[in-house]
Amino acid sequence: MYFCIKKEKNMTKVSVILPVYNVASYLDETFKSLLNQSLEEIEIIAVNDGSTDESEDIIRKYAAQDPRITFYSQKNQGQSAARNLALQHATGEYIYMMDSDDVLADKDALLISYEYAEKSKADFIFFDGDTLQEDGAAPISWNYHRTQDLEEMKAYSGEFLLNMMLDNSKHNCVVWLLLINHNYLKSIGLDFYPGIIHEDELFTTKLTLQSNNIYCLKKSFVKHRVRSASTMGKSYSKRNINCYLTVIDELLKWQKSPIIHKFARYTLSKVFYTGHQILFMEKFGVFWRAVKSGYLKYIGWKSIFVFWFKRKN
């Protein structure tokens, strides 16, 4: 005989989406930072994305201890598929998408974020974060502080924010700095594009440009781990470039507005400038794809020159 406990409507204030892949060394710290949150009305939806280490055992351990944790397992399909699966089962008023090796730095992070989102009636709010750089991880050239030039309790349009972030080189696409109103997310029918890395670039751009009701919270709530084995901790490869090209493909299918063209210039100029690091023989395929797509106007001659002629350090 099987029993099911139904939750009352809106009983869950925040659904935490947690895709998990081979992070056994960090999962205890991640779960503890979630279970120590002062906001008790949360659910944690963990999706084991085909881990080959002890990650699933750790998830099961915590799920057995706390009924707020729901656990799913699938063969390895990538972070997009894992998040989409979790979103199908989310019941919270708000969605928080956490990386499974990150830590919430404040025990009141979800409570403060939830209360601020409720007070402002935002489509989503965004806050700041800090990094935990692991030995051996490739250094990153940006930080996750974007709120200093903005005002709290002021509604911003997505187009204004994206323009400002691009102009000031502060654009950052990560979803783990957002608390998203679940009804807003449902209303725009947005999920994650499967099979690519840098999927946040596509998701957050669409999320942002469809809203005129975004608020910032001047708090740093996340400690984001940059690992040698993580997407951002690895050196560049042709897959990075191909996935960025897919993001631009999809955005231009969605709309060909001036802000999308601006985003394409900002993104692809940096992507191909950094792309000098990939193997020389791999450059021909990704460059030809950009040529066929008509993207040279976005890349720019300086980045093209660096892509072909700068040697990897």
Side-chain angles (χ1 to χ4, degrees), residues 60-168:
R60 289 184 181 278
K61 177 183 72 173
Y62 282 97
Q65 296 172 5
D66 196 310
R68 296 177 299 172
I69 300 172
T70 304
F71 164 55
Y72 298 93
S73 188
Q74 64 181 22
K75 66 179 182 180
N76 182 242
Q77 300 177 56
Q79 194 158 238
S80 289
R83 285 173 174 163
N84 287 340
L85 175 60
L87 281 170
Q88 291 173 19
H89 298 279
T91 64
E93 298 171 57
Y94 292 87
I95 303 293
Y96 178 59
M97 300 184 197
M98 187 171 181
D99 278 7
S100 55
D101 52 356
D102 286 357
V103 175
L104 289 177
D106 188 323
K107 68 179 180 61
D108 296 320
L110 293 181
L111 176 64
I112 293 171
S113 298
Y114 172 80
E115 290 180 343
Y116 182 71
E118 280 288 280
K119 183 178 180 181
S120 62
K121 303 301 179 186
D123 290 337
F124 68 91
I125 68 168
F126 64 97
F127 37 84
D128 293 327
D130 297 289
T131 57
L132 294 170
Q133 187 80 18
E134 188 179 74
D135 290 343
I140 59 175
S141 58
W142 61 86
N143 64 51
Y144 296 107
H145 287 257
R146 300 177 296 165
T147 65
Q148 59 265 41
D149 298 324
L150 299 168
E151 299 177 36
E152 289 189 346
M153 291 311 298
K154 178 179 178 179
Y156 291 95
S157 74
E159 186 165 345
F160 170 84
L161 283 174
L162 186 54
N163 264 308
M164 187 193 75
M165 298 296 181
L166 294 176
D167 289 342
N168 296 323

Side-chain angles (χ1 to χ4, degrees), residues 83 93 125 192 204 209 284:
R83 285 173 174 163
E93 298 171 57
I125 68 168
F192 288 90
T204 55
L209 289 179
F284 293 93

Side-chain angles (χ1 to χ4, degrees), residues 278-291:
I278 73 173
L279 296 174
F280 184 77
M281 293 305 297
E282 293 180 343
K283 293 183 179 182
F284 293 93
V286 293
F287 191 76
W288 179 237
R289 178 179 172 184
V291 170

Side-chain angles (χ1 to χ4, degrees), residues 168-228:
N168 296 323
S169 296
K170 289 185 177 179
H171 169 66
N172 206 296
C173 67
V174 295
V175 293
W176 41 264
L177 293 178
L178 313 177
L179 185 74
I180 306 168
N181 185 299
H182 199 177
N183 284 333
Y184 170 63
L185 191 59
K186 290 176 181 177
S187 73
I188 61 175
L190 184 60
D191 58 10
F192 288 90
Y193 189 93
I196 62 170
I197 54 177
H198 310 301
E199 70 286 342
D200 286 9
E201 294 276 358
L202 181 57
F203 181 91
T204 55
T205 302
K206 286 187 171 183
L207 182 82
T208 299
L209 289 179
Q210 293 181 80
S211 177
N212 292 307
N213 193 39
I214 304 166
Y215 286 74
C216 81
L217 179 58
K218 292 176 175 287
K219 299 282 187 181
S220 184
F221 279 149
V222 185
K223 290 184 178 179
H224 176 64
R225 201 179 305 271
V226 181
R227 301 182 288 118
S228 56

